[in-house]
């Protein structure tokens, strides 16, 4: 029985059918599944399935990634309100688009997935200065700064992640805060993240969430 | 042969001395004039002068009309563009703040009378007069199913396409498609002889194939209802091989500008025999950090794959301003050397 919820939910997400996905969740709740089970046994595994699918099936597309994240975030938020005990947060990430960059799609995909994976996200918005990333990460005790850039000059510019790296170094924060990047320029040049001082990158928003979660755990394990 | 003759002969599969070499050194034109992009794009004469300087400097085959991300948005009411000194501009003011704005959204009755068209027109007139008889003059048109991205932002548009009311979505696309038809006609009248028709929302990188078949393709047919002469299908740097056969079949377009990620041998196989061509596009973001030797090797690799059988053009992507000048020169030298037909 429970398997059918997972199967139906995954199918709805894969077909980008938000309405059906929410129907599956509502049906599961009505039939006695707890909100905790919905999040941990349906939503999070579904994101992980999508992550695996991206690796083996190049036919997944941006619309699927975006809607997977949005549906997951929406359902998770609804379920969290119904949890008997608030869930343990894995860690915290400060997120934004780089200085001079007004794009937000990639950021929204990653944030949607992270929220469902019990990662606390502070979304700084778009066109964020390097100093603001670092200050926010320190104030919020975040383990990761994530910077999204859709254009080459905002990905590689002096006011972007290169500057964040310099600030982390100057303030002796490099072991406490990891820096990750993403966006179109990094997809074209897989080594570009090293040139801008980042610790890691991911080719798509869904995989990025997984990579950020691993970095948070790495920092916390120190 | 002139570059225009080389291009035409290549499309027809006739003998040419070399492969056509297309490049987008639009933003580099600003640097050649010692201008920041905002000033450069403010007047068509500046862009034309920059393009002609680039043509003389590098000797490639094509020039571009005055165009940047957001120019189409300005023609549709965008009030603010965020210019950068070292890269392409951003749209800073979305014309459609919410889905509710779609109903009252209007396209200009005649874009050629619009303030923001004048610099384009001026640029094209100069280019047409100077090199129109000898060189391809390119213009960039965003397809109706992708145009709303610069009107409302990518995330809002994907939400509407995938999960929003279809009547509202198609109302907006209809308005955009009427604008696309106007724009293509205006470009042709002003002297552009190659129309780069960009549609990321007809690629499987963005959308499921089913939606492309049932939704994107019919709107593309509407966009191009006045003819497909000199139309080049481009995915906006998203891979297009997965939809190429569909574009050939449904639109009869047979000139393609794939992404660097596309398998070039497959791209060549997919074009219809006869009139047509496909392109081998270098990953120019890698050119920022590549050595000149790496660039030469990559150009050679692309030429070796693309040249056999003809119907092939060498091209670039957006050519970021961060690419060092010596790397651009290395690319052109290699392209002219390895692009020669024996």
């Amino acid at each position: 029985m429970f398997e059918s919820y997972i199967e139906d939910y995954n199918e709805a997400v894969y077909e980008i059918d938000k309405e059906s996905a929410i129907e599956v969740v509502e049906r599961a709740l009505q039939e006695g599944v707890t909100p905790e089970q919905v999040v941990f046994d349906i939503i999070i595994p579904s994101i992980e399935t999508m992550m695996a699918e991206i690796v083996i099936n190049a036919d997944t597309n941006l619309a699927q990634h975006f809607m997977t994240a949005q549906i997951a975030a929406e359902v998770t938020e609804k379920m969290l309100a119904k949890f008997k005990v608030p869930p343990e947060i894995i860690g915290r990430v400060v997120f934004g688009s780089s200085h001079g960059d007004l794009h937000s799609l990639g950021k929204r995909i990653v944030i949607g997935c992270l929220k469902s994976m019990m990662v606390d996200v502070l979304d700084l918005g778009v066109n964020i200065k390097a100093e603001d990333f670092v200050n926010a990460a320190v104030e919020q005790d975040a383990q990761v700064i994530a910077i999204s850039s859709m254009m080459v000059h905002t990905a590689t510019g002096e006011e972007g992640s290169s500057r964040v790296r310099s600030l982390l170094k100057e303030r002796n924060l490099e072991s406490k805060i990891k820096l990750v990047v993403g966006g179109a320029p990094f997809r074209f040049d897989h080594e570009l993240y090293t040139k801008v001082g980042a610790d890691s990158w991911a080719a798509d928003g869904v995989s990025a969430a997984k990579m950020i979660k691993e970095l948070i755990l790495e920092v916390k394990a120190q | 042969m002139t570059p225009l003759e080389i291009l035409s002969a290549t499309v027809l599969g006739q003998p040419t001395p070399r492969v056509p070499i297309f490049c987008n050194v639009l933003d580099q034109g600003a640097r050649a004039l010692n201008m920041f992009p905002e000033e450069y794009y403010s007047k068509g004469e500046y862009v034309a002068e920059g393009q002609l300087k680039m043509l003389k400097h590098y000797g490639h085959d094509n020039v571009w009309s005055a165009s940047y991300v957001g120019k189409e948005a300005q023609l549709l009411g965008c009030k603010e563009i965020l210019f950068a000194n070292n890269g392409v501009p951003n749209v800073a003011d979305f014309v459609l703040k919410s889905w509710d704005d779609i109903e009252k959204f209007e396209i200009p009755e005649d874009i050629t009378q619009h303030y923001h068209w004048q610099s384009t027109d001026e640029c094209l007139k100069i280019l047409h007069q100077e090199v129109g008889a000898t060189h391809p003059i390119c213009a960039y048109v965003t397809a109706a199913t992708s145009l709303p991205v610069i009107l409302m932002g990518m995330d809002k548009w994907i939400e509407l396409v995938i999960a929003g009311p279809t009547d509202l979505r198609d109302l907006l696309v209809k308005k955009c498609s009427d604008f696309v038809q106007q724009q293509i006609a205006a470009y042709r009248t002003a002297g552009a002889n190659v129309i780069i028709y960009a549609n990321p929302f007809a690629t499987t990188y963005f959308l499921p194939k089913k939606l492309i078949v049932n939704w994107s393709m019919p709107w593309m047919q509407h966009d191009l209802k006045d003819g497909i002469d000199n139309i080049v299908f481009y995915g906006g740097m998203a891979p297009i091989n997965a939809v190429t056969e569909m574009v050939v079949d449904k639109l009869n377009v047979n000139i393609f500008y794939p992404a660097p990620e596309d398998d070039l041998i497959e791209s060549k196989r997919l074009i219809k025999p006869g009139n047509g061509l496909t392109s081998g596009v270098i990953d120019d973001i890698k050119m920022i950090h590549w050595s000149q030797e790496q660039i030469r090797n990559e150009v050679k690799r692309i030429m070796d794959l693309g040249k056999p059988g003809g119907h092939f053009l060498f091209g670039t992507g957006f050519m970021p301003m961060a690419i060092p000048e010596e790397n651009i020169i290395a690319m052109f030298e290699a392209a002219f050397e390895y692009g020669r037909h024996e």
Side-chain angles (χ1 to χ4, degrees), chain A residues 28-73:
Chain A
L29 288 172
Q30 278 167 12
E31 291 170 3
V33 175
T34 66
E36 287 84 350
Q37 283 176 302
V38 168
V39 172
F40 293 113
D41 299 333
I42 298 177
I43 309 296
I44 294 178
S46 164
I47 294 174
E48 283 165 356
T49 302
M50 182 60 92
M51 286 169 182
E53 192 68 21
I54 286 165
V55 177
I56 56 168
N57 179 5
D59 288 340
T60 62
N61 53 68
L62 197 62
Q64 278 173 327
H65 298 182
F66 180 60
M67 293 312 289
T68 299
Q70 297 316 299
I71 295 166

Side-chain angles (χ1 to χ4, degrees), chain B residues 149-289:
Chain B
V149 169
I150 55 172
L151 300 177
M152 61 166 61
M154 178 77 85
D155 39 1
K156 278 205 186 81
W157 179 231
I158 288 189
E159 273 171 340
L160 180 52
V161 170
I162 300 298
T166 53
D167 53 345
L168 196 62
R169 173 194 75 184
D170 290 343
L171 175 67
L172 177 57
V173 179
K174 168 74 171 67
K175 291 178 184 187
C176 288
S177 190
D178 291 345
F179 172 78
V180 169
Q181 288 175 6
Q182 260 203 66
Q183 214 187 354
I184 291 173
Y187 271 129
R188 283 179 171 147
T189 305
N193 48 23
V194 175
I195 307 289
I196 312 295
Y197 175 69
N199 198 359
F201 275 65
T203 70
T204 50
Y205 179 77
F206 279 82
L207 294 183
K209 206 162 186 176
K210 199 162 73 180
L211 197 57
I212 296 171
V213 173
N214 296 331
W215 177 70
S216 305
M217 284 293 151
W219 282 114
M220 288 166 77
Q221 286 169 331
H222 191 268
D223 287 349
L224 302 176
K225 82 171 184 49
D226 292 332
I228 56 157
D229 283 353
N230 302 327
I231 293 284
V232 179
F233 179 73
Y234 173 54
M237 293 302 268
I240 61 171
N241 276 357
V243 296
T244 295
E245 276 179 322
M246 207 190 310
V247 171
V248 170
D249 182 43
K250 302 282 180 200
L251 306 176
N252 216 19
V253 168
N254 204 29
I255 302 179
F256 293 90
Y257 206 85
E261 284 171 88
D262 279 309
D263 175 347
L264 182 50
I265 298 288
E266 180 67 358
S267 301
K268 289 204 70 172
R269 190 190 67 77
L270 291 167
I271 56 171
K272 193 167 63 177
N275 295 357
L277 69 73
T278 195
S279 316
V281 179
I282 193 165
D283 184 343
D284 50 28
I285 292 179
K286 288 193 179 120
M287 281 177 61
I288 297 171
H289 300 292

